[in-house]
Amino acid sequence: NSTIGGTSTGQITLGATTLADGVTLTLGTGIANTISLSSISGTASGSASNVTINTTGAVTASGAIGTDIGTLTITNSGGSTFSGAVSAATVAITSTTATNAVTFNGDLTLTTGLTVGAGSAAYNVAINGGTNSIAGTTTFANTGTVTLGNGGDTTAFTGGVVATAPSSVTINGTVSAAGTGLITLGDANTSVSVTGDSTVGGTSTGQITFGAITISDGKTLTVGAGASTPISMTTVSGVASGSASHLTINTAGTVTISGAIGTDIGTLTITNSGGTTFSGAVSATTVTLTNTTGTIAFNGALTATTLNTAAQGYNVGLNATTGTITNAVTFSNTGTLGLGASGGTLAFTGGITATAPSTVTVNGTLTAAGTAVMSLGTVSVASNSTIGGTSTGQITLGATTLADGVTL
C-alpha cells in the first residue's frame, strides 16, 4: 500500500502505473495538489487493487483505469476528469469542491456499483462515455448537477437509478434499468433537461418517475421501451420560440402525467400504454394515439392542430370543460369515446367523425366551424348537451340514448 503526496502543493504526475495484487495506491493527502495520470491497472487474475484520490486540486486521467481494479475512491478533488475508460468493481465518490465535476468521458463499467455521496459542497457528476454499465442501484446524493450522456450515449443502471438530490439532471442519450429497477430522475426540487434525442426506459418493470422536464429545440424524448413499466411524470415543455420538441410514450404499464404538457411541443405520441391519464392541459401541434390497453384520458384541456387515432380497441376520453382540435378528426379507436364535461365546450374546428367507437358519450357542447361535418355513431348523452356550432355541415347521429332529465 502506497501514498504519493505530502505537504507539497506541487503537481503529482504519473506515467503508466501497475498495481500489485491487493494493494491500494493513494494519490494526494488532502491538500491542493494538481494530479496528472495516464493509465492505472491492477494485475490480472489476482486479488483486486484499489486507487484513492484525495486532493483539493484538479485531477486528470488521460488513459484507461482498469484490469482488476476493485474500488476507485475519490475522497476529494478540485474536479476529476477521466478521459479513458474506467473499469472497476466500484467507484465511490465522497466529495469534490463546489461547482467542480467528476466527469467520466470514457466508458464507465462497474460490476458492483457506483456510490455518490452528498459531500461537503455542491459538486457535479457527468457520465459521458459512449457505453456505460453500472451494476446495483445508484443513488446520486450530490447536490450539484448530474449529466447522463452528451450525445447518443447509453447508460445502463442495472439495478436502477435515483437522482432527486441534485439541483438538476441533464439527459442526452439512453438511460435504462433492468429487472425491477426504478428510474427516478428529478422531483419537485430537481428539474430534468433533455438536450438531445433520448430514451429513458429499458427492460425493467420498475417505475419511471420524473420531475419537471424541458426538452431542447427539435429533440425527442421517448419514455419507456415497450416493457410493462409504470410511468409518472409532472410537466413537460419545449423551449419557446425555437423548433418544436417531441414526446413519445411507449410502455405496457400505466402512465400518469399530473401537470401540463405544452410550450412548443410538436408531436405527442402514445405508441402504447397500459392506460394514460393527463391531468393537466395538453397543447401540441400533433397528438397521435397509436395503441393502449384501457383508456387514454385527457382530463385537462386538449389543444391540438391535428389529432390522430388508430383502429385499436382502446378508449379515449376528452373530459375537460374546454379543448380545441383543429383538423377534421376521425376517431378510429373501437373502444369507447367520451367527449366533454357538463357545462363545457369542445371545439372540433374541422369537424368530427366518430363511428368506429363502440359508444360515444357526450357531455356539454360540441362545435364545428365552416362547413365541417359532425358524425357520431352510437351516442349516450349524459348531461344537458348541444351538438352544433357555426358550421353549416351535416350533423349525423346514430342510435342515441338520453340520460334521465337531460336535454339534447
Side-chain angles (χ1 to χ4, degrees):
N1 293 338
S2 300
T3 298
I4 298 175
T7 60
S8 170
T9 56
Q11 179 165 309
I12 298 171
T13 303
L14 297 186
T17 303
T18 302
L19 309 183
D21 285 340
V23 308
T24 297
L25 172 63
T26 300
L27 299 169
T29 55
I31 61 176
N33 296 109
T34 300
I35 299 175
S36 176
L37 310 172
S38 57
S39 62
I40 300 178
S41 61
T43 302
S45 303
S47 55
S49 307
N50 309 301
V51 179
T52 296
I53 293 169
N54 185 18
T55 177
T56 58
V59 179
T60 57
S62 60
I65 295 179
T67 308
D68 210 16
I69 296 296
T71 301
L72 168 62
T73 302
I74 301 173
T75 303
N76 198 15
S77 78
S80 296
T81 302
F82 299 91
S83 298
V86 173
S87 178
T90 301
V91 168
I93 306 171
T94 305
S95 190
T96 278
T97 55
T99 73
N100 288 310
V102 178
T103 302
F104 299 92
N105 287 330
D107 293 351
L108 178 62
T109 304
L110 305 178
T111 56
T112 300
L114 171 63
T115 302
V116 182
S120 58
Y123 67 94
N124 310 321
V125 177
I127 301 175
N128 294 332
T131 303
N132 310 289
S133 177
I134 301 169
T137 300
T138 300
T139 299
F140 289 92
N142 61 303
T143 55
T145 64
V146 166
T147 299
L148 302 176
N150 63 351
D153 305 326
T154 298
T155 303
F157 294 97
T158 308
V161 56
V162 177
T164 56
S167 57
S168 67
V169 177
T170 298
I171 304 169
N172 189 344
T174 297
V175 177
S176 67
T180 58
L182 305 178
I183 298 177
T184 303
L185 302 176
D187 59 8
N189 299 310
T190 300
S191 61
V192 178
S193 296
V194 179
T195 57
D197 293 339
S198 299
T199 298
V200 176
T203 60
S204 173
T205 56
Q207 181 161 308
I208 298 172
T209 304
F210 284 101
I213 298 171
T214 301
I215 306 173
S216 294
D217 286 341
K219 307 306 180 183
T220 298
L221 171 63
T222 300
V223 184
S228 296
T229 309
I231 296 171
S232 176
M233 306 170 73
T234 57
T235 61
V236 181
S237 62
V239 179
S241 303
S243 55
S245 307
H246 313 286
L247 174 65
T248 297
I249 294 170
N250 183 20
T251 178
T254 58
V255 180
T256 57
I257 302 177
S258 61
I261 293 181
T263 307
D264 210 18
I265 296 295
T267 301
L268 166 64
T269 303
I270 300 178
T271 302
N272 196 21
S273 78
T276 299
T277 302
F278 299 93
S279 297
V282 174
S283 178
T285 302
T286 301
V287 174
T288 297
L289 312 179
T290 304
N291 203 0
T292 274
T293 301
T295 299
I296 302 172
F298 296 89
N299 293 333
L302 173 61
T303 303
T305 305
T306 301
L307 174 61
N308 301 312
T309 62
Q312 300 289 341
Y314 60 89
N315 311 320
V316 176
L318 276 59
N319 301 325
T321 55
T322 60
T324 301
I325 310 297
T326 304
N327 72 313
V329 60
T330 297
F331 287 93
S332 300
N333 61 299
T334 56
T336 63
L337 174 62
L339 298 175
S342 178
T345 299
L346 296 183
F348 294 95
T349 308
I352 176 175
T353 299
T355 55
S358 55
T359 59
V360 179
T361 300
V362 176
N363 275 288
T365 297
L366 308 181
T367 69
T371 59
V373 300
M374 306 182 74
S375 180
L376 307 180
T378 302
V379 177
S380 174
V381 180
S383 64
N384 293 338
S385 300
T386 298
I387 300 175
T390 60
S391 172
T392 57
Q394 180 165 312
I395 297 172
T396 303
L397 301 184
T400 300
T401 302
L402 309 185
D404 287 344
V406 308
T407 298
L408 171 64

mmCIF file of all heavy atoms in Angstrom, residues 82-131:
data_model
loop_
_atom_site.group_PDB
_atom_site.id
_atom_site.type_symbol
_atom_site.label_atom_id
_atom_site.label_comp_id
_atom_site.label_asym_id
_atom_site.label_seq_id
_atom_site.Cartn_x
_atom_site.Cartn_y
_atom_site.Cartn_z
ATOM 1 N N PHE A 82 -11.816 11.883 -16.201
ATOM 2 C CA PHE A 82 -11.294 10.612 -16.687
ATOM 3 C C PHE A 82 -11.570 10.537 -18.185
ATOM 4 O O PHE A 82 -12.718 10.364 -18.605
ATOM 5 C CB PHE A 82 -11.955 9.452 -15.942
ATOM 6 C CG PHE A 82 -11.705 9.475 -14.451
ATOM 7 C CD1 PHE A 82 -12.581 10.127 -13.595
ATOM 8 C CD2 PHE A 82 -10.577 8.867 -13.914
ATOM 9 C CE1 PHE A 82 -12.348 10.169 -12.227
ATOM 10 C CE2 PHE A 82 -10.332 8.908 -12.543
ATOM 11 C CZ PHE A 82 -11.222 9.560 -11.703
ATOM 12 N N SER A 83 -10.515 10.683 -18.989
ATOM 13 C CA SER A 83 -10.699 10.708 -20.442
ATOM 14 C C SER A 83 -10.784 9.308 -21.038
ATOM 15 O O SER A 83 -11.423 9.110 -22.080
ATOM 16 C CB SER A 83 -9.551 11.475 -21.101
ATOM 17 O OG SER A 83 -9.540 12.819 -20.664
ATOM 18 N N GLY A 84 -10.133 8.349 -20.423
ATOM 19 C CA GLY A 84 -10.177 6.975 -20.902
ATOM 20 C C GLY A 84 -11.246 6.170 -20.200
ATOM 21 O O GLY A 84 -11.963 6.658 -19.318
ATOM 22 N N ALA A 85 -11.352 4.906 -20.607
ATOM 23 C CA ALA A 85 -12.330 4.008 -19.991
ATOM 24 C C ALA A 85 -11.967 3.752 -18.533
ATOM 25 O O ALA A 85 -10.791 3.681 -18.177
ATOM 26 C CB ALA A 85 -12.393 2.702 -20.752
ATOM 27 N N VAL A 86 -12.995 3.627 -17.708
ATOM 28 C CA VAL A 86 -12.821 3.265 -16.299
ATOM 29 C C VAL A 86 -13.597 1.983 -16.057
ATOM 30 O O VAL A 86 -14.814 1.919 -16.287
ATOM 31 C CB VAL A 86 -13.319 4.377 -15.352
ATOM 32 C CG1 VAL A 86 -13.279 3.903 -13.903
ATOM 33 C CG2 VAL A 86 -12.489 5.637 -15.523
ATOM 34 N N SER A 87 -12.863 0.957 -15.612
ATOM 35 C CA SER A 87 -13.483 -0.336 -15.328
ATOM 36 C C SER A 87 -13.053 -0.771 -13.933
ATOM 37 O O SER A 87 -11.859 -0.913 -13.647
ATOM 38 C CB SER A 87 -13.041 -1.370 -16.365
ATOM 39 O OG SER A 87 -13.600 -2.633 -16.091
ATOM 40 N N ALA A 88 -14.024 -0.984 -13.058
ATOM 41 C CA ALA A 88 -13.731 -1.346 -11.677
ATOM 42 C C ALA A 88 -14.945 -2.059 -11.100
ATOM 43 O O ALA A 88 -16.019 -2.076 -11.705
ATOM 44 C CB ALA A 88 -13.411 -0.101 -10.854
ATOM 45 N N ALA A 89 -14.759 -2.644 -9.946
ATOM 46 C CA ALA A 89 -15.928 -3.172 -9.243
ATOM 47 C C ALA A 89 -16.798 -2.020 -8.760
ATOM 48 O O ALA A 89 -18.018 -2.008 -8.977
ATOM 49 C CB ALA A 89 -15.492 -4.048 -8.080
ATOM 50 N N THR A 90 -16.152 -1.028 -8.122
ATOM 51 C CA THR A 90 -16.900 0.068 -7.502
ATOM 52 C C THR A 90 -16.184 1.391 -7.736
ATOM 53 O O THR A 90 -14.955 1.460 -7.664
ATOM 54 C CB THR A 90 -17.020 -0.154 -5.981
ATOM 55 O OG1 THR A 90 -17.679 -1.400 -5.744
ATOM 56 C CG2 THR A 90 -17.800 0.966 -5.308
ATOM 57 N N VAL A 91 -16.954 2.427 -8.004
ATOM 58 C CA VAL A 91 -16.466 3.798 -7.905
ATOM 59 C C VAL A 91 -17.211 4.454 -6.757
ATOM 60 O O VAL A 91 -18.454 4.439 -6.726
ATOM 61 C CB VAL A 91 -16.664 4.590 -9.205
ATOM 62 C CG1 VAL A 91 -16.419 6.083 -8.968
ATOM 63 C CG2 VAL A 91 -15.723 4.080 -10.291
ATOM 64 N N ALA A 92 -16.446 5.016 -5.810
ATOM 65 C CA ALA A 92 -17.040 5.683 -4.648
ATOM 66 C C ALA A 92 -16.590 7.137 -4.650
ATOM 67 O O ALA A 92 -15.397 7.426 -4.498
ATOM 68 C CB ALA A 92 -16.614 4.999 -3.360
ATOM 69 N N ILE A 93 -17.552 8.043 -4.848
ATOM 70 C CA ILE A 93 -17.253 9.477 -4.831
ATOM 71 C C ILE A 93 -17.749 10.029 -3.503
ATOM 72 O O ILE A 93 -18.946 10.031 -3.232
ATOM 73 C CB ILE A 93 -17.938 10.205 -6.005
ATOM 74 C CG1 ILE A 93 -17.564 9.545 -7.335
ATOM 75 C CG2 ILE A 93 -17.550 11.684 -6.011
ATOM 76 C CD1 ILE A 93 -18.376 10.066 -8.523
ATOM 77 N N THR A 94 -16.806 10.471 -2.685
ATOM 78 C CA THR A 94 -17.171 11.010 -1.377
ATOM 79 C C THR A 94 -17.491 12.497 -1.470
ATOM 80 O O THR A 94 -18.507 12.966 -0.951
ATOM 81 C CB THR A 94 -16.042 10.782 -0.360
ATOM 82 O OG1 THR A 94 -15.728 9.394 -0.333
ATOM 83 C CG2 THR A 94 -16.445 11.258 1.025
ATOM 84 N N SER A 95 -16.619 13.251 -2.166
ATOM 85 C CA SER A 95 -16.822 14.693 -2.277
ATOM 86 C C SER A 95 -15.941 15.238 -3.390
ATOM 87 O O SER A 95 -15.033 14.562 -3.901
ATOM 88 C CB SER A 95 -16.496 15.397 -0.959
ATOM 89 O OG SER A 95 -16.917 16.755 -0.991
ATOM 90 N N THR A 96 -16.220 16.461 -3.768
ATOM 91 C CA THR A 96 -15.412 17.266 -4.685
ATOM 92 C C THR A 96 -15.771 18.713 -4.397
ATOM 93 O O THR A 96 -16.879 19.000 -3.926
ATOM 94 C CB THR A 96 -15.666 16.870 -6.156
ATOM 95 O OG1 THR A 96 -14.869 15.715 -6.465
ATOM 96 C CG2 THR A 96 -15.298 17.974 -7.132
ATOM 97 N N THR A 97 -14.853 19.627 -4.670
ATOM 98 C CA THR A 97 -15.098 21.018 -4.298
ATOM 99 C C THR A 97 -16.270 21.613 -5.085
ATOM 100 O O THR A 97 -16.611 21.152 -6.167
ATOM 101 C CB THR A 97 -13.831 21.862 -4.512
ATOM 102 O OG1 THR A 97 -13.387 21.707 -5.861
ATOM 103 C CG2 THR A 97 -12.732 21.430 -3.562
ATOM 104 N N ALA A 98 -16.869 22.657 -4.535
ATOM 105 C CA ALA A 98 -18.109 23.246 -5.060
ATOM 106 C C ALA A 98 -17.969 23.643 -6.517
ATOM 107 O O ALA A 98 -16.949 24.212 -6.924
ATOM 108 C CB ALA A 98 -18.505 24.457 -4.225
ATOM 109 N N THR A 99 -19.014 23.343 -7.281
ATOM 110 C CA THR A 99 -19.199 23.659 -8.713
ATOM 111 C C THR A 99 -18.268 22.887 -9.634
ATOM 112 O O THR A 99 -18.423 22.948 -10.855
ATOM 113 C CB THR A 99 -19.054 25.175 -9.014
ATOM 114 O OG1 THR A 99 -17.677 25.558 -8.920
ATOM 115 C CG2 THR A 99 -19.913 26.011 -8.060
ATOM 116 N N ASN A 100 -17.320 22.146 -9.096
ATOM 117 C CA ASN A 100 -16.465 21.313 -9.932
ATOM 118 C C ASN A 100 -17.123 19.959 -10.167
ATOM 119 O O ASN A 100 -18.064 19.580 -9.472
ATOM 120 C CB ASN A 100 -15.082 21.155 -9.300
ATOM 121 C CG ASN A 100 -14.276 22.434 -9.392
ATOM 122 O OD1 ASN A 100 -14.163 23.022 -10.463
ATOM 123 N ND2 ASN A 100 -13.719 22.881 -8.261
ATOM 124 N N ALA A 101 -16.600 19.222 -11.163
ATOM 125 C CA ALA A 101 -17.270 18.000 -11.598
ATOM 126 C C ALA A 101 -16.338 16.806 -11.563
ATOM 127 O O ALA A 101 -15.130 16.908 -11.793
ATOM 128 C CB ALA A 101 -17.806 18.180 -13.011
ATOM 129 N N VAL A 102 -16.937 15.653 -11.298
ATOM 130 C CA VAL A 102 -16.295 14.364 -11.549
ATOM 131 C C VAL A 102 -16.879 13.873 -12.868
ATOM 132 O O VAL A 102 -18.076 13.580 -12.958
ATOM 133 C CB VAL A 102 -16.555 13.366 -10.418
ATOM 134 C CG1 VAL A 102 -15.915 12.016 -10.742
ATOM 135 C CG2 VAL A 102 -16.038 13.905 -9.086
ATOM 136 N N THR A 103 -16.028 13.820 -13.894
ATOM 137 C CA THR A 103 -16.507 13.566 -15.259
ATOM 138 C C THR A 103 -15.852 12.316 -15.821
ATOM 139 O O THR A 103 -14.620 12.186 -15.825
ATOM 140 C CB THR A 103 -16.184 14.762 -16.173
ATOM 141 O OG1 THR A 103 -16.784 15.936 -15.637
ATOM 142 C CG2 THR A 103 -16.703 14.523 -17.577
ATOM 143 N N PHE A 104 -16.686 11.410 -16.324
ATOM 144 C CA PHE A 104 -16.211 10.196 -16.989
ATOM 145 C C PHE A 104 -16.493 10.357 -18.489
ATOM 146 O O PHE A 104 -17.628 10.204 -18.944
ATOM 147 C CB PHE A 104 -16.929 8.968 -16.433
ATOM 148 C CG PHE A 104 -16.696 8.755 -14.949
ATOM 149 C CD1 PHE A 104 -17.574 9.291 -14.011
ATOM 150 C CD2 PHE A 104 -15.604 8.033 -14.496
ATOM 151 C CE1 PHE A 104 -17.365 9.114 -12.648
ATOM 152 C CE2 PHE A 104 -15.380 7.848 -13.135
ATOM 153 C CZ PHE A 104 -16.262 8.393 -12.214
ATOM 154 N N ASN A 105 -15.442 10.678 -19.258
ATOM 155 C CA ASN A 105 -15.610 10.869 -20.700
ATOM 156 C C ASN A 105 -15.394 9.593 -21.497
ATOM 157 O O ASN A 105 -15.775 9.517 -22.666
ATOM 158 C CB ASN A 105 -14.662 11.956 -21.199
ATOM 159 C CG ASN A 105 -15.112 13.344 -20.778
ATOM 160 O OD1 ASN A 105 -16.303 13.605 -20.629
ATOM 161 N ND2 ASN A 105 -14.164 14.245 -20.548
ATOM 162 N N GLY A 106 -14.781 8.591 -20.876
ATOM 163 C CA GLY A 106 -14.676 7.270 -21.484
ATOM 164 C C GLY A 106 -15.745 6.355 -20.922
ATOM 165 O O GLY A 106 -16.481 6.716 -19.996
ATOM 166 N N ASP A 107 -15.833 5.148 -21.469
ATOM 167 C CA ASP A 107 -16.839 4.195 -20.999
ATOM 168 C C ASP A 107 -16.611 3.879 -19.518
ATOM 169 O O ASP A 107 -15.480 3.659 -19.086
ATOM 170 C CB ASP A 107 -16.763 2.903 -21.809
ATOM 171 C CG ASP A 107 -17.180 3.094 -23.257
ATOM 172 O OD1 ASP A 107 -17.697 4.182 -23.590
ATOM 173 O OD2 ASP A 107 -16.962 2.155 -24.058
ATOM 174 N N LEU A 108 -17.703 3.835 -18.777
ATOM 175 C CA LEU A 108 -17.666 3.528 -17.347
ATOM 176 C C LEU A 108 -18.327 2.169 -17.134
ATOM 177 O O LEU A 108 -19.511 1.991 -17.433
ATOM 178 C CB LEU A 108 -18.387 4.607 -16.552
ATOM 179 C CG LEU A 108 -18.488 4.423 -15.047
ATOM 180 C CD1 LEU A 108 -17.102 4.401 -14.394
ATOM 181 C CD2 LEU A 108 -19.346 5.530 -14.413
ATOM 182 N N THR A 109 -17.545 1.202 -16.632
ATOM 183 C CA THR A 109 -18.054 -0.148 -16.398
ATOM 184 C C THR A 109 -17.793 -0.528 -14.954
ATOM 185 O O THR A 109 -16.630 -0.645 -14.531
ATOM 186 C CB THR A 109 -17.371 -1.168 -17.336
ATOM 187 O OG1 THR A 109 -17.548 -0.763 -18.695
ATOM 188 C CG2 THR A 109 -17.965 -2.552 -17.144
ATOM 189 N N LEU A 110 -18.874 -0.717 -14.194
ATOM 190 C CA LEU A 110 -18.770 -1.023 -12.769
ATOM 191 C C LEU A 110 -19.564 -2.288 -12.483
ATOM 192 O O LEU A 110 -20.766 -2.336 -12.735
ATOM 193 C CB LEU A 110 -19.295 0.145 -11.927
ATOM 194 C CG LEU A 110 -18.644 1.505 -12.203
ATOM 195 C CD1 LEU A 110 -19.291 2.584 -11.346
ATOM 196 C CD2 LEU A 110 -17.137 1.447 -11.950
ATOM 197 N N THR A 111 -18.880 -3.303 -11.954
ATOM 198 C CA THR A 111 -19.529 -4.593 -11.755
ATOM 199 C C THR A 111 -20.225 -4.726 -10.406
ATOM 200 O O THR A 111 -21.001 -5.658 -10.203
ATOM 201 C CB THR A 111 -18.495 -5.725 -11.896
ATOM 202 O OG1 THR A 111 -17.422 -5.502 -10.976
ATOM 203 C CG2 THR A 111 -17.941 -5.763 -13.316
ATOM 204 N N THR A 112 -19.944 -3.817 -9.471
ATOM 205 C CA THR A 112 -20.626 -3.830 -8.171
ATOM 206 C C THR A 112 -21.517 -2.612 -7.990
ATOM 207 O O THR A 112 -22.676 -2.748 -7.602
ATOM 208 C CB THR A 112 -19.612 -3.913 -7.026
ATOM 209 O OG1 THR A 112 -18.850 -5.112 -7.162
ATOM 210 C CG2 THR A 112 -20.310 -3.920 -5.676
ATOM 211 N N GLY A 113 -20.988 -1.411 -8.265
ATOM 212 C CA GLY A 113 -21.871 -0.260 -8.142
ATOM 213 C C GLY A 113 -21.139 1.059 -8.126
ATOM 214 O O GLY A 113 -19.901 1.129 -8.103
ATOM 215 N N LEU A 114 -21.936 2.112 -8.137
ATOM 216 C CA LEU A 114 -21.471 3.496 -8.073
ATOM 217 C C LEU A 114 -22.079 4.143 -6.838
ATOM 218 O O LEU A 114 -23.304 4.138 -6.669
ATOM 219 C CB LEU A 114 -21.883 4.262 -9.323
ATOM 220 C CG LEU A 114 -21.665 5.782 -9.344
ATOM 221 C CD1 LEU A 114 -20.171 6.115 -9.246
ATOM 222 C CD2 LEU A 114 -22.268 6.392 -10.618
ATOM 223 N N THR A 115 -21.212 4.704 -5.982
ATOM 224 C CA THR A 115 -21.667 5.414 -4.786
ATOM 225 C C THR A 115 -21.321 6.886 -4.941
ATOM 226 O O THR A 115 -20.162 7.236 -5.173
ATOM 227 C CB THR A 115 -20.994 4.856 -3.521
ATOM 228 O OG1 THR A 115 -21.289 3.464 -3.420
ATOM 229 C CG2 THR A 115 -21.500 5.572 -2.284
ATOM 230 N N VAL A 116 -22.329 7.741 -4.818
ATOM 231 C CA VAL A 116 -22.124 9.188 -4.946
ATOM 232 C C VAL A 116 -22.605 9.836 -3.658
ATOM 233 O O VAL A 116 -23.812 9.868 -3.382
ATOM 234 C CB VAL A 116 -22.879 9.757 -6.157
ATOM 235 C CG1 VAL A 116 -22.603 11.257 -6.289
ATOM 236 C CG2 VAL A 116 -22.484 9.031 -7.434
ATOM 237 N N GLY A 117 -21.675 10.345 -2.868
ATOM 238 C CA GLY A 117 -22.024 10.928 -1.582
ATOM 239 C C GLY A 117 -22.467 12.371 -1.694
ATOM 240 O O GLY A 117 -22.256 13.032 -2.719
ATOM 241 N N ALA A 118 -23.068 12.861 -0.625
ATOM 242 C CA ALA A 118 -23.508 14.255 -0.593
ATOM 243 C C ALA A 118 -22.317 15.204 -0.607
ATOM 244 O O ALA A 118 -22.365 16.286 -1.195
ATOM 245 C CB ALA A 118 -24.370 14.509 0.641
ATOM 246 N N GLY A 119 -21.227 14.783 0.033
ATOM 247 C CA GLY A 119 -20.027 15.607 0.057
ATOM 248 C C GLY A 119 -20.179 16.840 0.925
ATOM 249 O O GLY A 119 -21.228 17.085 1.541
ATOM 250 N N SER A 120 -19.122 17.620 0.950
ATOM 251 C CA SER A 120 -19.128 18.844 1.753
ATOM 252 C C SER A 120 -19.467 20.074 0.921
ATOM 253 O O SER A 120 -19.504 21.184 1.448
ATOM 254 C CB SER A 120 -17.755 19.032 2.400
ATOM 255 O OG SER A 120 -16.737 19.081 1.414
ATOM 256 N N ALA A 121 -19.713 19.877 -0.382
ATOM 257 C CA ALA A 121 -20.028 21.001 -1.270
ATOM 258 C C ALA A 121 -20.862 20.485 -2.440
ATOM 259 O O ALA A 121 -20.930 19.280 -2.698
ATOM 260 C CB ALA A 121 -18.751 21.655 -1.781
ATOM 261 N N ALA A 122 -21.486 21.401 -3.157
ATOM 262 C CA ALA A 122 -22.374 21.036 -4.262
ATOM 263 C C ALA A 122 -21.555 20.768 -5.521
ATOM 264 O O ALA A 122 -21.379 21.631 -6.380
ATOM 265 C CB ALA A 122 -23.391 22.146 -4.504
ATOM 266 N N TYR A 123 -21.076 19.536 -5.634
ATOM 267 C CA TYR A 123 -20.280 19.167 -6.809
ATOM 268 C C TYR A 123 -21.158 18.480 -7.853
ATOM 269 O O TYR A 123 -22.283 18.049 -7.578
ATOM 270 C CB TYR A 123 -19.099 18.287 -6.411
ATOM 271 C CG TYR A 123 -19.467 16.906 -5.893
ATOM 272 C CD1 TYR A 123 -19.510 15.803 -6.748
ATOM 273 C CD2 TYR A 123 -19.741 16.693 -4.540
ATOM 274 C CE1 TYR A 123 -19.824 14.547 -6.285
ATOM 275 C CE2 TYR A 123 -20.057 15.432 -4.063
ATOM 276 C CZ TYR A 123 -20.097 14.357 -4.937
ATOM 277 O OH TYR A 123 -20.415 13.105 -4.472
ATOM 278 N N ASN A 124 -20.602 18.376 -9.077
ATOM 279 C CA ASN A 124 -21.342 17.825 -10.204
ATOM 280 C C ASN A 124 -20.770 16.462 -10.600
ATOM 281 O O ASN A 124 -19.593 16.184 -10.375
ATOM 282 C CB ASN A 124 -21.261 18.771 -11.400
ATOM 283 C CG ASN A 124 -21.607 20.203 -11.037
ATOM 284 O OD1 ASN A 124 -22.519 20.447 -10.250
ATOM 285 N ND2 ASN A 124 -20.890 21.170 -11.611
ATOM 286 N N VAL A 125 -21.611 15.648 -11.233
ATOM 287 C CA VAL A 125 -21.174 14.355 -11.755
ATOM 288 C C VAL A 125 -21.672 14.239 -13.195
ATOM 289 O O VAL A 125 -22.842 14.538 -13.484
ATOM 290 C CB VAL A 125 -21.718 13.180 -10.928
ATOM 291 C CG1 VAL A 125 -21.306 11.843 -11.551
ATOM 292 C CG2 VAL A 125 -21.224 13.260 -9.486
ATOM 293 N N ALA A 126 -20.774 13.818 -14.110
ATOM 294 C CA ALA A 126 -21.138 13.648 -15.512
ATOM 295 C C ALA A 126 -20.645 12.300 -16.008
ATOM 296 O O ALA A 126 -19.466 11.957 -15.839
ATOM 297 C CB ALA A 126 -20.554 14.773 -16.363
ATOM 298 N N ILE A 127 -21.544 11.532 -16.627
ATOM 299 C CA ILE A 127 -21.200 10.239 -17.233
ATOM 300 C C ILE A 127 -21.415 10.393 -18.735
ATOM 301 O O ILE A 127 -22.551 10.372 -19.229
ATOM 302 C CB ILE A 127 -22.058 9.106 -16.651
ATOM 303 C CG1 ILE A 127 -21.848 9.013 -15.137
ATOM 304 C CG2 ILE A 127 -21.718 7.779 -17.319
ATOM 305 C CD1 ILE A 127 -22.746 7.999 -14.445
ATOM 306 N N ASN A 128 -20.305 10.573 -19.474
ATOM 307 C CA ASN A 128 -20.373 10.923 -20.892
ATOM 308 C C ASN A 128 -19.781 9.870 -21.814
ATOM 309 O O ASN A 128 -19.619 10.121 -23.018
ATOM 310 C CB ASN A 128 -19.642 12.249 -21.132
ATOM 311 C CG ASN A 128 -20.326 13.425 -20.459
ATOM 312 O OD1 ASN A 128 -21.531 13.421 -20.258
ATOM 313 N ND2 ASN A 128 -19.541 14.437 -20.089
ATOM 314 N N GLY A 129 -19.441 8.708 -21.270
ATOM 315 C CA GLY A 129 -18.909 7.644 -22.115
ATOM 316 C C GLY A 129 -19.958 7.151 -23.098
ATOM 317 O O GLY A 129 -21.167 7.296 -22.878
ATOM 318 N N GLY A 130 -19.511 6.549 -24.181
ATOM 319 C CA GLY A 130 -20.460 6.075 -25.192
ATOM 320 C C GLY A 130 -21.313 4.926 -24.721
ATOM 321 O O GLY A 130 -22.510 4.861 -24.996
ATOM 322 N N THR A 131 -20.695 3.978 -23.979
ATOM 323 C CA THR A 131 -21.415 2.809 -23.478
ATOM 324 C C THR A 131 -21.024 2.595 -22.024
ATOM 325 O O THR A 131 -19.858 2.311 -21.721
ATOM 326 C CB THR A 131 -21.063 1.555 -24.298
ATOM 327 O OG1 THR A 131 -21.350 1.786 -25.673
ATOM 328 C CG2 THR A 131 -21.872 0.356 -23.815
#
